[in-house]
Amino acid sequence: MKYHQMSTQELVNQFKTNPKTGLTQQEANERLLKHGKNELEKPKKRNIFLRFFDQLKDFMILILFIASILSFVTGDYAEGALVIAIILINAILGLVQESKAEKALESIQKMSSPHATVMRDGVELVIDVSELVVGDIVLIEAGDYIPADLRIIESVNLKIDEAILTGEAVPVEKKAGIIKEDEVALGDRINSGYMSTVATYGRGVGLITGTGMDTEIGHIATMISEAKTDQTPLQQSVSKLGEALAVIAIIITLVIFGINIAEHYYFDGGNVGWEVWQKSFMASVALAVAAIPEGLPAIITIVLALGMQNLAREKAIMKSLPAVETLGSTSVICSDKTGTLTQNVMTVTKVYSNNKIIDINENTHVDDKLLQLLTYGVLCNDTKVNLNEENEYTKIGDPTEVAFIDLAITLNYNPIEIFTNNPRISELPFDSERKLMTTVHDFDNKRYAVIKGAPDVMLRRSVESKKSIKDYENANLMMTSEALRVLAVGYKEIDLTLPLDKLTHDYLENDITLIGLVGMIDPPRPEVKDAIKVTNRAGIDVIMITGDHKNTAMAIAKELNIIKSNDDMALSGLELDNLSDEEFKKVLPHVRVYARVSPENKVRIVEAWKAENKIVAMTGDGVNDAPALKTANIGIAMGITGTEVSKGAADMVLTDDNFTTIVTAVEEGRGIYANIKKAIHFLLSCNIGEIVTIFLGTILGALIFSGAVTTLTAVQILWVNLVTDSLMAIAIGLEPKEADIMNEKPRDSRKSFFADGLGIKIGWQGIMLGLLSFSAFVIGYFIYPNTEGATGDVLRAAKLMNASTMTFMVLAISQLFHALNVKSEKKSIFKTKFNKYLLWAFITSLILQLLTIVFPFTRELFNLSNLNLVEWLIVLGLSITPIIVVEIQKLISNLINKRKRAV
């Protein structure tokens, strides 16, 4: 038998306590030793060194480490040191940017109330909550935190705000009775209280049934600590890319090494000594190092960091770099209802007055009957209303009662004046047994009781005719069918001479004259409907998960087009519990609303979608949301209403608690991924160009130049990779989002960077850059103007330097022009958005490249010679060729695709 099913006496027997005097101090001490303190376990912290090394657990970083070691082996100490510096800077950037440390459990620790009032040996004591034990009898007053899980054994109008556990905005009325059902959702256990929730009204007495980690919040803390964190799609893709580059580098090393040995064997008459082996190995390793885009990890980090700044301006604060891109892969958004999809304000949307249902807005006409309804609704109300310095209303009270105040304000009536002009003489507070609240006021030398409460109770106690009662019942049915919470307002004229102590429930709350009905709901945010249209267009499923009741959730879901067809359905938490994993898998695509769910339900929903290879974003604001936030691919916490626990478990925090911001962030994430993909496209095609240039010099050198030649030196390759290429790659990472980015379906996280033809494009474009650069080498060698009359080896060396200079210039400048090609895979560069960063990077890189040939010391460093006008014109012509070739390819591809669509 569960605690909510047990009577007070059964609980007293189970826990061996006394409901009047509580435990003895000796018994409490023994239980404290046996069960431990009423505290949550503290998580083990990883020190900063371990967290630093976590940044290095990436296959791409491992490849760079190997590349740096090989650079040292081949004597290229500058390159080796530079690559190590890039790795360290990248790790430090990641460590600084990421605040993914385990803050969630620490946040929970802070939420517990520091003190509680408890009965010990028949005496009321105020003790530290950590000293509470099972069986303790605690006294609860409005404003108190509930210090542990407990059963309510006495209640006087007690209400507890359980939003952090259930997500339900309205405080729950608590009773001391028995709940017979075995399986009851946490939000429906009205005879129980839970650690870290807050008593908002009334008072009560509780018997503690669970402390520390044995509480509901302790259970959630365990779930948070056990939740697994998956690699993000970007991390998976970069890891696969690193593996591919490693394989390529090994193959290149072996092939070039073999070719070098074979050439020396052939030309040297079979005489291959140790020096040849060493030279061949160093040459092949240098080429393998050229295959690795050393700046790529740093460029990805910089692009993600800049993306974080952009998202912060859009009111979305990211807590980890990889999560920025994960947003762009999102295919399912599991969203909380209250405050995210809705306004988190109970709002009167309809009233029944003067025999008709009226829609409420600021333009609604107020007749005498409606004025009476709103006036009496304000008077029978415990909301505290004031005007602040900005002349704005501040309201503190129960959300339902605040709705009556907002009704008056919406219809341009001052609630403070209504209170002041009609002071309260007496009152009968609301309680859950009567389902009524009554206040007494004097109007025009007469005394009236103003009554507010449940429509069925009010109608039974009214003086209305049968027809009028039927009309009220029909109106109530119509409003509740729209998931409105409906209250009736009425009055009764009473005897002025009757003493106040004679104003009993029976006298005041019978023979009531009804004024009307008031229907209220937490309405959708006006901008959310358009945002959901965008998600539908983008192929993203939106799922509503709420602690609210099913009919209310479905009404909001239909209004927002989350429920779009007859196949779409809603499940309660208990219904979900009764489904096997196989049964749940079958209905998963059709369930658009989950209501009255537990933390375990939320985790199960997220895991079910992840099992379908979907990238899941989960929103939440309460402690109950934290396990699911951590389990999701991207956890999104609310910055305004969110608890510290939910913020600690999340990857992103919304500073405006708005669903529309999530959609904006997804769009930004897609743009960031597209730009990273473009940067990788650019860098890898450039690296392939370098490999092809060196490879052709190695294998064709003997045929064309009477021996293997060095088309590019290590210093030249390093300059292009880390200066010109990196600047352009960063600028590509800042490319404006393409206009139709939210018209595409979410990308499959299992696909590699090279999917959908990108690998082929990188390959042929890299080969094109390599052929152009090698062409420059051939041309430069054969058109060298021998103005000094050099001969023999001197002439050959001069021709090779001239050829290498033209190759270096064509390679670097053609890559600058090629960067313009990757702005869009389909669109002509003349139809893409202007990118000022790309323009400045182009100009800066071009100037830096030209400076290498201007000064004597740079010419010596890079092993360059001066070029004449004809040679510069050849360099320019070869350099702009990639633009012409790729533009023709895009034109042909677009014409073919257009014809296919027409067919």
Side-chain angles (χ1 to χ4, degrees):
M1 186 180 288
K2 296 179 180 176
Y3 296 142
H4 64 261
Q5 296 175 290
M6 299 169 72
S7 67
T8 299
Q9 191 56 51
E10 287 172 324
L11 286 164
V12 167
N13 295 339
Q14 168 115 359
F15 291 100
K16 296 181 175 60
T17 188
N18 186 307
K20 298 299 181 186
T21 61
L23 297 172
T24 64
Q25 190 61 52
Q26 181 181 348
E27 177 65 23
N29 291 342
E30 290 173 2
R31 294 187 185 189
L32 192 63
L33 284 172
K34 182 180 179 182
H35 300 293
K37 289 192 172 186
N38 180 34
E39 295 175 335
L40 300 175
E41 292 175 3
K42 295 179 180 178
K44 294 178 182 177
K45 282 189 176 182
R46 290 174 64 79
N47 64 47
I48 192 166
F49 297 106
L50 290 174
R51 285 165 53 208
F52 177 79
F53 283 111
D54 284 343
Q55 305 294 323
L56 305 177
K57 292 178 182 177
D58 185 282
F59 198 81
M60 191 72 176
I61 298 295
L62 177 62
I63 295 300
L64 289 183
F65 265 126
I66 294 170
S68 65
I69 292 167
L70 292 176
S71 294
F72 286 122
V73 169
T74 58
D76 200 340
Y77 302 114
E79 180 169 353
L82 195 54
V83 173
I84 290 290
I86 287 169
I87 292 168
L88 294 176
I89 291 168
N90 191 59
I92 292 166
L93 272 172
L95 189 63
V96 170
Q97 288 283 356
E98 292 186 10
S99 54
K100 193 67 177 175
E102 300 298 319
K103 294 178 181 177
L105 294 180
E106 291 178 19
S107 302
I108 292 179
Q109 308 271 345
K110 299 172 186 175
M111 295 187 60
S112 299
S113 174
H115 296 94
T117 305
V118 64
M119 297 295 297
R120 293 268 175 91
D121 293 312
V123 179
E124 283 187 25
L125 298 174
V126 177
I127 65 172
D128 192 287
V129 292
S130 64
E131 297 174 15
L132 289 172
V133 296
V134 291
D136 261 330
I137 305 298
V138 293
L139 310 181
I140 305 164
E141 299 282 346
D144 289 348
Y145 272 93
I146 306 302
D149 283 8
L150 49 81
R151 254 294 303 276
I152 307 295
I153 58 175
E154 289 182 26
S155 173
V156 180
N157 300 328
L158 179 64
K159 290 184 180 181
I160 297 179
D161 181 354
E162 297 180 337
I164 64 164
L165 282 176
T166 65
E168 189 170 0
V170 180
V172 180
E173 298 167 22
K174 295 294 182 178
K175 298 180 182 179
I178 297 170
I179 299 174
K180 294 181 181 179
E181 292 82 3
D182 182 37
E183 296 297 332
V184 181
L186 188 143
D188 294 325
R189 296 177 204 163
I190 59 173
N191 62 0
S192 303
Y194 299 100
M195 189 180 194
S196 294
T197 58
V198 186
T200 60
Y201 193 81
R203 56 187 173 82
V205 178
L207 188 157
I208 292 182
T209 57
T211 60
M213 296 302 288
D214 291 328
T215 59
E216 286 291 334
I217 204 167
H219 177 51
I220 290 171
T222 302
M223 291 173 67
I224 294 172
S225 64
E226 292 175 352
K228 295 178 181 177
T229 304
D230 298 330
Q231 271 196 323
T232 69
L234 181 64
Q235 288 169 328
Q236 292 170 4
S237 296
V238 171
S239 181
K240 289 175 185 174
L241 176 61
E243 291 168 11
L245 290 175
V247 172
I248 292 168
I250 291 168
I251 292 171
I252 288 170
T253 302
L254 294 174
V255 170
I256 296 299
F257 182 73
I259 290 172
N260 266 306
I261 294 295
E263 278 191 352
H264 281 286
Y265 184 84
Y266 179 78
F267 284 103
D268 296 341
N271 183 23
V272 182
W274 167 246
E275 187 179 342
V276 172
W277 285 91
Q278 186 182 26
K279 194 174 180 181
S280 298
F281 174 73
M282 291 172 71
S284 58
V285 165
L287 184 55
V289 171
I292 305 298
E294 293 90 345
L296 181 58
I299 288 164
I300 290 175
T301 300
I302 290 166
V303 172
L304 290 175
L306 292 170
M308 283 180 84
Q309 294 175 17
N310 291 339
L311 285 166
R313 285 192 287 271
E314 297 288 347
K315 301 182 179 177
I317 297 172
M318 304 303 301
K319 292 172 56 189
S320 68
L321 287 176
V324 176
E325 178 276 329
T326 308
L327 273 169
S329 308
T330 300
S331 47
V332 177
I333 301 174
C334 296
S335 178
D336 188 29
K337 176 182 73 70
T338 305
T340 307
L341 297 172
T342 65
Q343 298 175 31
N344 197 24
V345 177
M346 291 298 285
T347 304
V348 176
T349 57
K350 293 181 186 292
V351 299
Y352 176 70
S353 174
N354 221 6
N355 300 318
K356 60 181 180 291
I357 292 177
I358 303 168
D359 290 324
I360 296 297
N361 57 60
E362 57 190 14
N363 298 317
T364 301
H365 172 68
V366 181
D367 59 21
D368 291 342
K369 202 75 173 176
L370 182 53
L371 178 58
Q372 186 183 25
L373 178 63
L374 74 86
T375 300
Y376 284 16
V378 168
L379 293 175
C380 190
N381 201 310
D382 285 332
T383 303
K384 306 299 181 211
V385 187
N386 291 293
L387 280 172
N388 61 21
E389 293 176 357
E390 286 78 33
N391 210 34
E392 297 171 338
Y393 290 104
T394 61
K395 298 152 285 187
I396 302 172
D398 183 273
T400 304
E401 296 207 312
V402 171
F404 280 93
I405 304 300
D406 286 334
L407 173 63
I409 295 169
T410 300
L411 298 177
N412 295 314
Y413 287 86
N414 187 328
I416 298 175
E417 287 182 3
I418 294 173
F419 281 130
T420 305
N421 295 338
N422 307 284
R424 186 180 298 183
I425 295 168
S426 184
E427 65 181 293
L428 298 175
F430 175 87
D431 73 50
S432 54
E433 296 296 328
R434 293 170 21 251
K435 295 185 179 179
L436 297 172
M437 174 181 176
T438 301
T439 57
V440 179
H441 308 264
D442 288 344
F443 305 121
D444 302 325
N445 299 318
K446 292 182 180 180
R447 184 159 292 173
Y448 292 91
V450 179
I451 306 104
K452 176 185 72 186
D456 56 334
V457 177
M458 295 278 282
L459 286 169
R460 284 199 306 271
R461 295 169 178 250
S462 74
V463 294
E464 302 296 323
S465 65
K466 286 184 178 180
K467 181 183 182 306
S468 179
I469 288 174
K470 188 67 177 173
D471 290 342
Y472 270 100
E473 287 174 341
N474 289 337
N476 183 42
L477 187 63
M478 288 178 67
M479 291 163 81
T480 54
S481 69
E482 297 178 23
L484 298 180
R485 185 174 188 183
V486 183
L487 291 175
V489 179
Y491 68 92
K492 176 182 179 178
E493 186 176 345
I494 58 178
D495 188 348
L496 263 171
T497 62
L498 202 64
L500 294 180
D501 59 358
K502 299 293 184 182
L503 301 180
T504 62
H505 295 294
D506 288 340
Y507 175 69
L508 292 179
E509 295 175 345
N510 281 299
D511 303 322
I512 300 168
T513 301
L514 292 178
I515 305 169
L517 302 176
V518 176
M520 61 188 72
I521 197 170
D522 179 10
R525 287 176 176 263
E527 68 275 16
V528 167
K529 198 166 187 176
D530 288 336
I532 287 176
K533 283 181 184 175
V534 174
T535 62
N536 290 337
R537 200 169 66 240
I540 301 170
D541 291 315
V542 178
I543 311 297
M544 180 191 289
I545 301 180
T546 179
D548 214 334
H549 293 280
K550 189 196 284 190
N551 64 331
T552 306
M554 285 189 71
I556 297 292
K558 285 176 181 175
E559 188 173 344
L560 291 174
N561 281 333
I562 292 173
I563 290 180
K564 303 186 287 285
S565 71
N566 293 330
D567 291 334
D568 293 338
M569 58 188 288
L571 280 181
S572 69
L574 289 178
E575 289 168 338
L576 178 56
D577 288 335
N578 292 327
L579 293 178
S580 68
D581 289 341
E582 279 301 313
E583 289 170 331
F584 184 34
K585 187 176 180 180
K586 288 178 183 176
V587 300
L588 180 68
H590 304 293
V591 183
R592 287 289 175 265
V593 174
Y594 295 90
R596 307 300 273 177
V597 289
S598 66
E600 293 91 340
N601 292 149
K602 294 181 181 183
V603 171
R604 188 182 179 194
I605 294 161
V606 170
E607 288 180 337
W609 277 111
K610 286 174 72 176
E612 297 295 313
N613 294 307
K614 301 289 187 180
I615 301 298
V616 184
M618 171 81 194
T619 76
D621 55 7
V623 176
N624 62 322
D625 297 317
L629 289 174
K630 199 170 181 207
T631 303
N633 299 100
I634 180 95
I636 304 170
M638 303 297 114
I640 300 171
T641 59
T643 60
E644 290 305 309
V645 182
S646 63
K647 293 174 191 175
D651 302 286
M652 179 170 92
V653 179
L654 303 182
T655 59
D656 62 353
D657 290 13
N658 196 333
F659 180 84
T660 304
T661 304
I662 300 173
V663 179
T664 303
V666 169
E667 184 176 359
E668 189 70 28
R670 284 191 176 190
I672 288 166
Y673 177 76
N675 287 348
I676 289 173
K677 195 174 176 182
K678 290 171 187 175
I680 290 171
H681 177 176
F682 170 68
L683 288 172
L684 292 186
S685 57
C686 290
N687 278 79
I688 290 171
E690 293 163 15
I691 292 166
V692 169
T693 305
I694 299 170
F695 188 78
L696 290 174
T698 302
I699 63 172
L700 297 180
L703 299 175
I704 302 174
F705 311 107
S706 303
V709 295
T710 303
T711 49
L712 292 166
T713 66
V715 174
Q716 290 170 350
I717 293 170
L718 188 63
W719 173 265
V720 173
N721 279 2
L722 295 179
V723 180
T724 55
D725 280 3
S726 294
L727 279 176
M728 294 300 284
I730 291 169
I732 289 167
L734 300 173
E735 188 72 16
K737 296 186 294 288
E738 295 191 41
D740 59 352
I741 200 164
M742 289 299 277
N743 293 340
E744 301 168 5
K745 300 299 178 190
R747 71 181 182 89
D748 189 337
S749 60
R750 294 168 294 178
K751 284 186 176 180
S752 74
F753 277 117
F754 306 115
D756 302 321
L758 181 61
I760 295 170
K761 282 182 184 175
I762 290 172
W764 78 256
Q765 290 172 8
I767 291 169
M768 170 187 67
L769 293 172
L771 289 173
L772 290 170
S773 300
F774 187 68
S775 298
F777 190 90
V778 174
I779 295 168
Y781 184 87
F782 286 109
I783 69 166
Y784 173 69
N786 187 9
T787 55
E788 297 177 3
T791 58
D793 289 341
V794 175
L795 175 60
R796 187 173 188 272
K799 292 174 75 172
L800 287 174
M801 181 182 284
N802 191 66
S804 180
T805 302
M806 287 186 66
T807 304
F808 180 48
M809 289 298 157
V810 169
L811 180 74
I813 299 171
S814 66
Q815 288 179 2
L816 297 184
F817 280 107
H818 180 54
L820 304 178
N821 288 326
V822 303
K823 281 169 64 70
S824 174
E825 285 189 33
K826 299 173 184 176
K827 293 179 183 175
S828 163
I829 61 169
F830 304 108
K831 293 182 179 178
T832 56
K833 293 180 181 178
F834 175 68
N835 179 358
K836 64 179 180 181
Y837 304 106
L838 194 60
L839 175 62
W840 284 112
F842 186 97
I843 293 169
T844 304
S845 297
L846 183 60
I847 291 170
L848 288 171
Q849 179 63 23
L850 295 176
L851 286 175
T852 62
I853 204 170
V854 168
F855 302 107
F857 76 92
T858 54
R859 284 200 299 273
E860 185 178 346
L861 176 65
F862 289 99
N863 196 31
L864 303 176
S865 61
N866 279 316
L867 300 178
N868 60 36
L869 179 61
V870 173
E871 289 166 336
W872 274 117
L873 290 173
I874 292 169
V875 167
L876 180 61
L878 290 172
S879 297
I880 64 172
T881 300
I883 291 280
I884 299 166
V885 173
V886 175
E887 281 293 300
I888 292 170
Q889 175 264 317
K890 286 180 182 178
L891 179 63
I892 293 169
S893 295
N894 288 334
L895 288 172
I896 292 170
N897 291 332
K898 189 176 181 181
R899 187 167 295 176
K900 282 181 180 177
R901 287 194 297 268
V903 173

